[in-house]
Amino acid sequence: MSSTTIDTPTKILTATLALLERPGAKLPTMSDIARASGVSRQAVYLHFPGRTDLLIAATRFQDMQNDVNAALTASRSATSGTERLDAFVTAWGNYIPKIYGVARAILAVVDTDAEAAAAWNTRMADMREGCAAAVQALAHEGTLPANVDPEQATDLLWTILSVRTWENLTQTCGWDQACYIDTVRGLALAALAQDVGALTDVLACPDPPA
């Protein structure tokens, strides 16, 4: 019989994600993670010097598990700025539900926990790079409106695609995922790619069932 040995960092990262994804989860301490991993607290610190490092590594490990690179292939291989913007908005918008459990646990304490805030800011900086790349593609081909500053356009796209926006629309307001995607795509394409026709998708969702 063959056996697969799971290395210690993978054990730690897997346990961290499991703790974060529990309903109503609180941000775990390093001791919590050590117990859940079945390793010593010292072993956790050996591989991850601080909780910020561990949380950043855990979110990137989650990306690897979900094969985020495959999800972004269409955006990265797009042949036009509009195509890249459309593909990026769709990919990220459909990726949020996969990471929401972890994101919610971190977001719950970002105002009071500096380590959580640092980890979250790193994750959002990574996402912002994708927004900036889409905007730059639009600017390069001349599709971005001439009077629009690329930095401000990136700010707008980054905000439209924030986890908080997805949370407010789908979890608080009860929009379904397809309605959310259609609306954010329409907003992004109309505002940044001068695609007026995309406005037909904004707020055009069918009424939810009674």
Side-chain angles (χ1 to χ4, degrees):
M1 294 177 65
S2 62
S3 62
T4 301
T5 301
I6 302 176
D7 61 84
T8 299
T10 299
K11 284 183 180 179
I12 295 168
L13 293 172
T14 301
T16 301
L17 290 176
L19 290 172
L20 289 169
E21 288 173 337
R22 292 181 305 176
K26 295 182 179 179
L27 208 64
T29 65
M30 297 294 261
S31 295
D32 293 333
I33 293 166
R35 283 193 295 272
S37 307
V39 302
S40 69
R41 191 166 176 267
Q42 289 74 17
V44 176
Y45 278 105
L46 175 65
H47 294 284
F48 304 99
R51 193 167 58 152
T52 298
D53 303 284
L54 177 50
L55 290 172
I56 291 171
T59 57
R60 289 177 174 165
F61 180 65
Q62 184 181 43
D63 287 343
M64 183 182 71
Q65 288 183 315
N66 288 316
D67 200 0
V68 69
N69 286 325
L72 293 171
T73 296
S75 175
R76 291 169 177 169
S77 62
T79 57
S80 73
T82 299
E83 183 184 343
R84 179 160 194 160
L85 175 65
D86 193 355
F88 180 75
V89 169
T90 302
W92 175 254
N94 281 321
Y95 191 62
I96 294 174
K98 297 179 181 180
I99 64 169
Y100 179 61
V102 170
R104 178 177 53 191
I106 297 175
L107 281 169
V109 295
V110 291
D111 292 333
T112 57
D113 189 311
E115 294 172 322
W120 184 251
N121 290 340
T122 297
R123 185 155 188 62
M124 290 299 96
D126 290 342
M127 191 273 276
R128 186 184 173 87
E129 289 182 3
C131 295
V135 170
Q136 288 164 8
L138 291 171
H140 179 73
E141 70 179 13
T143 304
L144 189 72
N147 63 334
V148 172
D149 176 70
E151 188 69 17
Q152 289 185 326
T154 300
D155 293 341
L156 177 62
L157 182 59
W158 184 68
T159 300
I160 290 173
L161 294 179
S162 73
V163 174
R164 287 296 196 197
T165 298
W166 178 89
E167 181 181 55
N168 287 337
L169 293 176
T170 66
Q171 306 302 296
T172 303
C173 298
W175 289 24
D176 66 30
Q177 180 66 13
C179 178
Y180 162 80
I181 290 294
D182 285 346
T183 297
V184 295
R185 281 183 65 254
L187 287 172
L189 290 169
L192 303 179
Q194 305 187 70
D195 184 354
V196 178
L199 287 172
T200 59
D201 290 330
V202 176
L203 299 177
C205 310
D207 293 332

